[in-house]
């Protein structure tokens, strides 16, 4: 906490911290309840009079019935300034404090309501105007009545235990009577049970501490009943003049593992009212002066609640966006699947076409082979036949040649024979022509065999 921080922020940070010191006092002169702001011991309670001197003068009474004036203002830099009883006169124990806070809470509410623009000009009644119906009556702690009397707002500051059923009965009573009822729970007692947050919840709590978040508070059956009926529980701390709003953090989409982990899941969260089955929630504190009565919505609109409304709008927008994205994704997937189907079909068709083509080619090939074989066989047959014919022709030719040769031989022989026959008749000298063209040398017939030969008789 630094000195630069605005006072209201400091007050908000101290809100709902179970302040037990008395900060409200009744003015002995006017009978009004007065609020001592923090650090204002030497500030003026009225022109020229400080809280310190006014208290020391015995002019400020303890608001408790039958209790005397306060003795002094306790002021120190480290602690909240507050009133102290004279020694020995301290009543501050037991139920006394509750009564005291109840008193101051009502007073605070009435004062704040008078300054609320939404209730401008309204009559304010503390504890003195009952609302009657044929089936009963109720007297709200603070009742605001519009100038024309047509509208009424009842404020209830609840300190004691109350069941959900009892609250519902009262809530419905006010509804039947046409009265807007605003419920504020006490910052002490049975309606304020702090819980020690742990783990992520603790971290979230600390992270929001500066913006007024207090410790986690247990939600009773009463609070859950209110949440069921769409009423966000509120608390009031009269010692810091702050209002607290039940708040929880929600993860965007991930399904929660358990009820407690639903409080906090991760830092990117929605700040929303707790759900009706929550056992605990955070309390976001705001200065009461920043809260307004929203007559149309029949509620007390705290800044925290306004934020919850914004967050809810954001959540819806995000969900819409998520739905849109999902739809787009599904559409894209569908398109992709369609494309895939088409591609497969095309492939199958292509495959079938290829198969068909292959079959066709194979058939053509087989046909061609068959034809080729046939041709070859035919050719071969023809060739063989030719060969055979040729052979036969050759044989015949050879025979003819042989015959011719034989005939020639015969003829030659016959000629030879005829010639031989003829030669027998022709003188031998004629038969043998001269061996040389010129005359041979005249033989020496006187010698050799020539002589002998000539002597041989013919
Ligand atoms: Zn007292």
């Amino acid at each position: 906490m630094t000195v630069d921080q605005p006072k209201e922020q400091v007050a908000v940070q101290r809100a709902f911290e179970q302040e037990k010191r008395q900060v409200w006092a009744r003015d002995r002169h006017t009978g009004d309840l007065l609020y001592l702001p923090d650090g204002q011991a030497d500030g003026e309670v009225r022109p020229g009079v400080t809280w310190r001197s006014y208290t020391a003068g015995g002019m400020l009474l303890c608001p408790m019935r039958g209790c005397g004036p306060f003795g002094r203002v306790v002021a120190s830099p480290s602690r909240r300034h507050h009133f102290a009883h004279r020694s020995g006169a301290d009543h501050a124990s037991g139920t006394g404090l509750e009564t005291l806070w109840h008193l101051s809470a009502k007073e605070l509410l009435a004062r704040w309501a008078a300054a609320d623009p939404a209730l401008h000009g309204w009559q304010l009644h503390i504890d003195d105007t009952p609302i009657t119906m044929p089936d009963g009556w109720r007297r709200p702690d603070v009742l605001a009545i519009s100038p024309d009397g047509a509208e009424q707002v009842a404020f209830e500051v609840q300190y004691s235990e109350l069941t959900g059923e009892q609250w519902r009965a009262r809530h419905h009573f006010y509804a039947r009577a046409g009265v807007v009822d605003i419920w504020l729970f006490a910052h002490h007692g049975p309606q304020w049970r702090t819980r020690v947050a742990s783990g992520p919840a603790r971290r979230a709590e600390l992270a929001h501490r500066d913006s007024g978040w207090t410790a986690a508070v247990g939600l009773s059956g009463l609070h859950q009943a209110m949440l069921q009926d769409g009423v966000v529980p509120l608390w009031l701390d009269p010692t810091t003049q702050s209002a607290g709003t039940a708040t929880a953090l929600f993860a965007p989409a991930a399904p929660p593992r358990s009820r407690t982990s639903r409080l906090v899941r991760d830092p990117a969260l929605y700040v929303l009212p707790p759900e009706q089955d929550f056992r605990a929630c955070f309390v976001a504190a705001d200065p009461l002066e920043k809260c307004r009565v929203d007559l149309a919505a029949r509620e007390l609109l705290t800044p925290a609640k306004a934020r919850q409304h914004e967050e809810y709008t954001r959540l819806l927008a995000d969900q819409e966006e998520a739905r849109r994205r999902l739809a787009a994704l599904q559409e894209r997937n569908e398109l992709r699947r369609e494309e895939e189907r088409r591609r497969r079909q095309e492939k199958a068709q292509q495959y079938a076409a290829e198969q068909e083509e292959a079959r066709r080619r194979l058939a053509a090939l087989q046909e061609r082979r068959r034809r080729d074989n046939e041709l070859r066989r035919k050719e071969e047959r023809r060739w063989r036949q030719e060969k055979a014919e040729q052979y036969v022709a050759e044989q015949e030719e050879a025979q003819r040649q042989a015959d011719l040769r034989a005939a020639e031989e015969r003829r030659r022989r016959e000629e030879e024979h005829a010639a031989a026959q003829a030669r027998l008749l022709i003188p031998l000298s004629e038969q043998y022509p001269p061996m040389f063209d010129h005359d041979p040398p005249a033989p020496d017939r006187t010698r050799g065999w020539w002589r002998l030969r000539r002597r041989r008789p013919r």
Side-chain angles (χ1 to χ4, degrees):
M1 195 186 308
T2 65
V3 287
D4 297 334
Q5 278 179 305
K7 225 180 292 171
E8 84 187 9
Q9 193 176 337
V10 174
V12 156
Q13 280 176 354
R14 285 188 175 172
F16 300 102
E17 285 192 344
Q18 306 268 291
E19 180 61 67
K20 284 192 168 69
R21 304 181 188 102
Q22 284 191 258
V23 297
W24 288 82
R26 195 178 293 284
D27 191 324
R28 179 172 265 180
H29 272 312
T30 61
D32 291 342
L33 274 175
L34 302 180
Y35 176 74
L36 169 64
D38 191 14
Q40 290 297 304
D42 295 313
E44 291 183 338
V45 60
R46 54 183 58 189
V49 185
T50 65
W51 286 94
R52 202 188 288 274
S53 61
Y54 204 51
T55 312
M59 297 303 290
L60 288 175
L61 308 175
C62 172
M64 283 292 286
R65 190 186 301 276
C67 201
F70 286 120
R72 62 194 173 97
V73 172
V74 179
S76 81
S78 58
R79 299 159 68 198
R80 199 217 187 285
H81 293 186
H82 62 279
F83 303 111
H85 285 86
R86 295 172 196 278
S87 57
D90 194 350
H91 70 266
S93 61
T95 57
L97 269 179
E98 269 183 33
T99 315
L100 191 62
W101 282 321
H102 205 175
L103 263 175
S104 45
K106 285 187 279 194
E107 181 65 29
L108 171 64
L109 270 179
R111 240 178 253 185
W112 159 79
D116 186 354
L119 305 179
H120 181 71
W122 291 41
Q123 284 178 26
L124 290 162
H125 301 272
I126 300 178
D127 254 348
D128 60 359
T129 307
I131 292 168
T132 49
M133 288 282 287
D135 58 340
W137 62 278
R138 281 205 58 76
R139 194 172 60 207
D141 287 329
V142 176
L143 181 66
I145 304 174
S146 66
D148 59 0
E151 288 178 288
Q152 291 174 315
V153 178
F155 295 91
E156 291 277 14
V157 184
Q158 187 65 33
Y159 270 80
S160 53
E161 293 268 19
L162 193 70
T163 67
E165 284 313 302
Q166 285 169 328
W167 172 80
R168 233 171 228 147
R170 296 180 192 185
H171 185 51
H172 292 164
F173 173 86
Y174 282 126
R176 286 200 304 279
V179 177
V180 175
D181 57 330
I182 291 169
W183 293 77
L184 292 148
F185 294 107
H187 67 303
H188 267 279
Q191 301 299 350
W192 180 267
R193 294 204 178 101
T194 53
R195 287 167 58 131
V196 178
S198 61
R202 176 69 180 159
R203 284 199 294 280
E205 178 194 326
L206 292 175
H208 288 80
R209 190 49 70 85
D210 279 350
S211 52
W213 283 37
T214 67
V217 170
L219 288 171
S220 64
L222 162 62
H223 301 137
Q224 289 173 346
M226 292 177 80
L227 287 167
Q228 262 170 25
D229 287 14
V231 180
V232 179
L234 299 171
W235 285 266
L236 182 68
D237 180 0
T239 64
T240 54
Q241 305 202 345
S242 7
T245 308
T247 296
L249 288 169
F250 287 83
R257 285 207 197 95
S258 69
R259 282 177 188 174
T260 45
S261 74
R262 239 187 291 185
L263 272 174
V264 177
R265 289 274 304 179
D266 65 67
L269 298 163
Y270 300 96
V271 177
L272 293 174
E275 284 183 357
Q276 59 194 44
D277 56 348
F278 276 23
R279 300 256 184 84
C281 68
F282 297 118
V283 173
D286 295 300
L288 186 63
E289 61 187 8
K290 290 199 172 170
C291 304
R292 298 280 172 269
V293 171
D294 187 341
L295 288 169
R298 303 174 69 85
E299 65 171 9
L300 179 66
L301 187 65
T302 63
K305 254 193 194 175
R307 183 177 175 200
Q308 289 174 354
H309 292 327
E310 281 168 18
E311 292 275 287
Y312 188 63
T313 311
R314 185 167 72 89
L315 171 70
L316 291 184
D318 287 357
Q319 280 177 342
E320 183 56 38
E321 172 70 14
R323 262 197 297 277
R324 205 183 54 68
R325 272 197 205 151
L326 186 68
L329 191 72
Q330 280 169 344
E331 195 180 336
R332 207 158 57 231
N333 281 349
E334 187 55 39
L335 279 178
R336 202 176 296 156
R337 272 198 295 275
E338 186 63 32
E339 176 74 11
E340 180 76 4
R341 253 201 306 276
R342 203 177 55 69
R343 214 161 52 73
R344 278 197 195 152
Q345 207 166 351
E346 267 176 16
K347 238 180 187 174
Q349 281 171 356
Q350 194 182 343
Y351 180 71
E354 278 172 5
Q355 288 288 310
E356 183 57 38
E357 174 69 14
R359 261 198 302 278
R360 204 181 54 70
R361 272 195 209 152
L362 185 67
L365 188 70
Q366 283 171 341
E367 175 65 21
R368 202 163 63 233
R369 274 193 193 154
R370 195 182 58 75
R371 261 204 317 268
D372 285 356
N373 284 344
E374 200 170 318
L375 273 177
R376 204 161 53 236
R377 274 198 299 275
K378 217 182 264 175
E379 183 74 11
E380 203 173 295
R381 257 200 314 273
R382 199 176 55 73
W383 181 77
R384 280 176 202 274
Q385 203 167 350
E386 267 176 16
K387 273 273 185 194
E389 281 167 6
Q390 192 182 350
Y391 180 72
V392 168
E394 276 171 9
Q395 289 294 315
E396 279 175 358
E397 179 66 17
Q399 187 63 44
R400 202 174 56 79
Q401 293 290 336
D403 288 353
L404 276 179
R405 269 196 310 275
E408 182 71 14
E409 181 69 23
R410 206 162 44 239
R411 194 181 54 77
R412 200 180 52 81
R413 278 194 196 147
E414 280 168 6
E415 278 175 9
E416 274 182 6
H417 182 68
Q421 287 294 326
R423 217 166 29 238
L424 288 181
L425 301 177
I426 301 165
L428 198 58
S429 60
E430 281 174 32
Q431 279 184 44
Y432 294 100
M435 288 179 81
F436 308 102
D437 288 342
H438 53 86
D439 288 336
D444 184 1
R445 300 192 190 222
T446 60
R447 334 187 274 186
W449 61 273
W450 181 258
R451 197 186 36 145
L452 290 178
R453 189 177 163 237
R454 297 270 317 245
R455 283 181 188 163
R456 185 183 294 179
R458 281 242 182 142

